[in-house]
Amino acid sequence: MEINLEEFQTLLSQLTSFDKMYEQVRFVDPVKKEVLFVKHKNQEEIILVLESCFGIWGKGEVCKNCISMRAYNENDTVIKIETSSDEIIMVTAIPVTIEDRMVVVELLKNVTKSMILGDRELTESLEIKRLLDQANIAAVTDELTQIYNKRYIIERLPVDMLKSHLEKQPILLLMADIDHFKKVNDTYGHLAGDFILKEVAGILGKNTRQGVDWIARFGGEEFMICLTNTDKEKAEAIADRMRKAIEDTVFSYNGEKIKLTSSFGLHTLTSEEIIDYETLIHCSDKNLYEAKKIGRNKVVG
């Protein structure tokens, strides 16, 4: 959609009361991870920039706990504390609709010198940055398995799908489920079940490309694996390798030897297809259901 400067300028005029409170106002497309316009404090006009929204933080990668994607998905205002190389920034993200297009207004305020935690003023910025970075990672991490959680799926998958479309590369989604997992809990106890979930997450992680693919716990004993720039034939081989690795593993817990199998459903999204992330998940989940229906310990795609 063509960017209408006048529409953004009109919206900005309604935000003049924030001039003294914030150092910067940004208009962000969170799906494209792109800043459309920026207005700095005491600056009258907004500037067309069209640059990556995460570049400001100096980390060289997409934010794992993206405030604007969360505001966009929930259609609600969200506040977050973020860190750059030498500053601590409070970001308020407000979703707005302009000509049927939803964007996010980000209000940025430097709070490096004014943050207080309990009764102590926080002046050790490196320690604060470390704590904040840990908090942001924790927000999208499954506490048990230490892989990504469902919130991360909702924030990351639409972005990867768009990137796949723009770069004309396929993206493939795997849904994996531990077969008869309830029997593990009933026979060995829920702590054994938790142990199995962590071990299976580790096996899946070992069979993905670090920094390229990602895995998340979708819920219960179900996992999601996103393979970027991967065709169906290669993905089926990866899924079967994961399936066999789980089948061949003897899980040892409190002297018990536990054997398991798993089922996989996969769906390839070509760069020509335009669907939303929920439809992509449904397609993969449908194939997972088919794998379990025909006997489990299968890969269907």
Side-chain angles (χ1 to χ4, degrees):
M1 179 182 291
E2 184 178 346
I3 297 173
N4 188 328
L5 177 60
E6 185 177 345
E7 289 288 336
F8 283 91
Q9 189 69 56
T10 299
L11 176 60
L12 185 64
S13 67
Q14 300 170 11
L15 301 172
T16 53
S17 60
F18 294 113
D19 272 0
K20 294 182 180 179
M21 299 169 57
Y22 296 92
E23 278 79 23
Q24 189 177 130
V25 178
R26 309 198 304 174
F27 295 90
V28 173
D29 182 329
V31 178
K32 291 185 177 180
K33 298 296 181 219
E34 185 177 63
V35 180
L36 306 176
F37 297 101
V38 169
K39 179 183 180 297
H40 296 281
K41 190 174 183 178
N42 301 321
Q43 181 184 58
E44 291 187 6
E45 299 295 328
I46 58 176
I47 302 172
L48 176 66
V49 287
L50 298 179
E51 62 186 15
S52 66
C53 60
F54 54 87
I56 189 174
W57 310 119
K59 299 174 183 177
E61 62 179 2
V62 175
C63 302
K64 290 184 171 62
N65 179 18
C66 177
I67 181 176
S68 288
M69 197 65 190
R70 183 178 174 189
Y72 179 90
N73 284 327
E74 298 179 4
N75 195 21
D76 197 6
T77 298
V78 182
I79 299 174
K80 174 187 174 185
I81 302 296
E82 185 55 91
T83 62
S84 66
S85 57
D86 56 358
E87 295 177 332
I88 300 168
I89 308 295
M90 182 177 73
V91 187
T92 302
I94 308 168
V96 296
T97 301
I98 298 178
E99 294 186 338
D100 298 325
R101 175 188 187 180
M102 182 178 284
V103 297
V104 175
V105 178
E106 287 187 351
L107 308 174
L108 283 69
K109 179 178 176 62
N110 189 328
V111 295
T112 308
K113 296 180 179 179
S114 59
M115 284 194 67
I116 296 177
L117 184 62
D119 297 326
R120 184 165 60 94
E121 185 173 352
L122 296 179
T123 56
E124 300 295 329
S125 60
L126 288 178
E127 176 65 12
I128 300 168
K129 278 169 52 59
R130 184 184 67 81
L131 292 173
L132 290 172
D133 288 343
Q134 287 179 350
N136 285 328
I137 292 172
V140 292
T141 301
D142 177 61
E143 186 176 358
L144 176 65
T145 61
Q146 292 301 297
I147 60 176
Y148 291 122
N149 59 19
K150 197 166 186 177
R151 175 176 164 184
Y152 185 82
I153 294 170
I154 295 171
E155 293 182 0
R156 178 66 184 268
L157 188 55
V159 176
D160 280 353
M161 290 171 66
L162 177 63
K163 186 172 183 287
S164 171
H165 175 71
L166 294 175
E167 296 180 352
K168 301 187 183 306
Q169 299 288 351
I171 184 171
L172 197 135
L173 198 66
L174 290 173
M175 297 292 286
D177 189 87
I178 301 172
D179 296 331
H180 302 297
F181 183 71
K182 184 178 183 299
K183 186 177 179 180
V184 174
N185 284 328
D186 292 345
T187 304
Y188 304 103
H190 287 278
L191 290 179
D194 289 348
F195 170 78
I196 293 295
L197 289 171
K198 289 186 284 187
E199 291 293 300
V200 169
I203 292 172
L204 297 176
K206 289 176 183 177
N207 286 279
T208 55
R209 298 166 295 179
Q210 294 296 315
V212 179
D213 308 320
W214 51 268
I215 64 173
R217 187 179 176 192
F218 189 70
E221 68 274 21
E222 199 167 18
F223 298 87
M224 176 183 290
I225 305 101
C226 182
L227 306 174
T228 58
N229 191 17
T230 305
D231 59 31
K232 183 178 179 181
E233 183 178 356
K234 186 183 296 183
E236 286 177 339
I238 293 171
D240 200 59
R241 187 164 67 240
M242 291 174 172
R243 180 200 62 76
K244 192 173 189 306
I246 293 170
E247 182 183 25
D248 291 345
T249 299
V250 178
F251 300 92
S252 299
Y253 180 79
N254 280 356
E256 300 285 354
K257 304 296 183 182
I258 305 172
K259 291 283 287 180
L260 297 168
T261 61
S262 56
S263 300
F264 289 78
L266 62 90
H267 184 81
T268 305
L269 182 67
T270 66
S271 60
E272 292 79 21
E273 293 179 89
I274 304 295
I275 59 175
D276 58 37
Y277 80 92
E278 291 174 318
T279 302
L280 177 57
I281 292 174
H282 173 74
C283 291
S284 298
D285 204 41
K286 183 179 178 181
N287 286 333
L288 172 60
Y289 175 79
E290 183 64 23
K292 297 177 84 68
K293 182 181 177 181
I294 62 175
R296 295 181 170 83
N297 198 23
K298 301 281 195 306
V299 175
V300 172

